[in-house]
Amino acid sequence: MGSWKNHVRGRLQQRDLAEKVPFLGVFSSLSQLEERFEVREQFLDDVQTKRLERGGVEVGKNTRLLQLQLRENEHLAEKLSQTVSDLTTVLYLKEAELQYWQSRVSHYRQEALTLAKGSNTLKATLSEFEYTVECQTKELAALRAEQKGLKEASAEALREKEELLQRWMGEKSEEADRLNKYNDMQERWQRLAKQLKKHLRKERGEDVPMVTGSSSEDQ
């Protein structure tokens, strides 16, 4: 913020130097001429006093010469007075311009302060957003890790379920095979028992009734 202040101050100093350089010797010349004018006026007063006392021709000549010099000095004094008036006007204008630029500098300074405050506010807001984004990024990473763990656990559970289902189906299949074998064995034993009973009855000479169904003895 100080760089633009130095730039404006430097430009104003360069402008003042460029505008004041042509008039640097005017005030010293004016002072010297005023001093010479005062000396000549004093000398003229002395001469006029002596002329009144003496009253000679040489005094008259000196008086004319001094009057000419006095007119010349008056003319130079008028010119210098006009120059001083012009310089005073220029000085007033420069002071007004300087006040204008000072007000502009004050305005720019206030604007720079406002922008600096706004920049600080934006920086603080940006820092808050960055912190929020960082927290959310960490939370998202944790959720992704948790989701990955859950997916792995779900896949493991699914594999275990499939294994259990396959094992259960295998066990049920074996159990069904055993049951079928048992039933087949029971049927074979029942048929064999019937045949043995028939055979025993024939040997004993007993009439073998027609078996239309299973009797209590067969059972």
Side-chain angles (χ1 to χ4, degrees):
M1 187 171 64
S3 60
W4 67 269
K5 292 182 181 179
N6 295 329
H7 177 71
V8 172
R9 189 181 296 108
R11 292 296 298 271
L12 290 175
Q13 291 177 353
Q14 291 178 0
R15 186 204 60 190
D16 292 340
L17 288 175
E19 293 179 354
K20 288 180 180 179
V21 166
F23 304 102
L24 290 177
V26 173
F27 291 102
S28 60
S29 300
L30 176 62
S31 178
Q32 292 176 2
L33 289 175
E34 287 179 349
E35 185 178 356
R36 289 172 58 189
F37 180 72
E38 291 177 357
V39 171
R40 290 191 178 188
E41 278 187 343
Q42 184 66 35
F43 181 71
L44 181 60
D45 292 336
D46 294 339
V47 170
Q48 287 178 351
T49 303
K50 291 180 179 179
R51 187 185 62 177
L52 292 174
E53 292 177 352
R54 298 178 182 177
V57 179
E58 294 180 358
V59 175
K61 293 180 179 180
N62 292 331
T63 301
R64 286 198 216 67
L65 180 61
L66 290 174
Q67 287 178 350
L68 291 175
Q69 292 177 351
L70 179 60
R71 289 177 182 176
E72 181 183 359
N73 290 333
E74 288 177 350
H75 179 68
L76 291 175
E78 289 178 358
K79 290 180 64 177
L80 289 174
S81 177
Q82 184 62 37
T83 303
V84 170
S85 178
D86 294 339
L87 290 174
T88 303
T89 303
V90 172
L91 181 61
Y92 287 153
L93 291 176
K94 296 302 178 184
E95 288 179 352
E97 187 177 0
L98 180 60
Q99 290 179 358
Y100 168 76
W101 284 112
Q102 286 178 347
S103 64
R104 295 293 294 174
V105 168
S106 178
H107 173 72
Y108 288 139
R109 183 184 295 112
Q110 186 65 34
E111 186 175 356
L113 291 175
T114 303
L115 291 175
K117 291 180 180 178
S119 177
N120 292 332
T121 303
L122 290 176
K123 286 180 179 179
T125 304
L126 179 61
S127 298
E128 292 179 358
F129 285 154
E130 288 177 349
Y131 177 75
T132 303
V133 169
E134 183 179 359
C135 293
Q136 291 180 351
T137 302
K138 291 180 179 179
E139 292 179 358
L140 180 60
L143 290 174
R144 285 178 177 175
E146 185 178 358
Q147 183 183 15
K148 182 179 180 182
L150 291 174
K151 285 183 178 180
E152 293 176 354
S154 177
E156 184 66 23
L158 184 62
R159 285 194 298 271
E160 292 179 356
K161 178 182 176 182
E162 291 294 332
E163 291 176 357
L164 289 173
L165 182 61
Q166 293 294 330
R167 190 182 306 164
W168 180 80
M169 291 178 66
E171 292 177 354
K172 291 298 181 182
S173 178
E174 292 176 357
E175 185 178 353
D177 291 339
R178 287 195 301 270
L179 184 59
N180 291 330
K181 289 179 181 180
Y182 176 78
N183 291 332
D184 292 340
M185 188 180 293
Q186 289 294 323
E187 289 179 358
R188 286 198 300 271
W189 278 106
Q190 287 178 2
R191 286 194 299 269
L192 182 59
K194 289 178 181 180
Q195 291 176 0
L196 287 174
K197 286 180 179 180
K198 287 180 181 181
H199 182 70
L200 289 173
R201 286 177 182 176
K202 285 181 179 181
E203 288 180 353
R204 292 175 183 176
E206 297 178 355
D207 294 333
V208 179
M210 297 297 294
V211 178
T212 57
S214 59
S215 62
S216 59
E217 291 181 356
D218 294 338
Q219 293 176 354

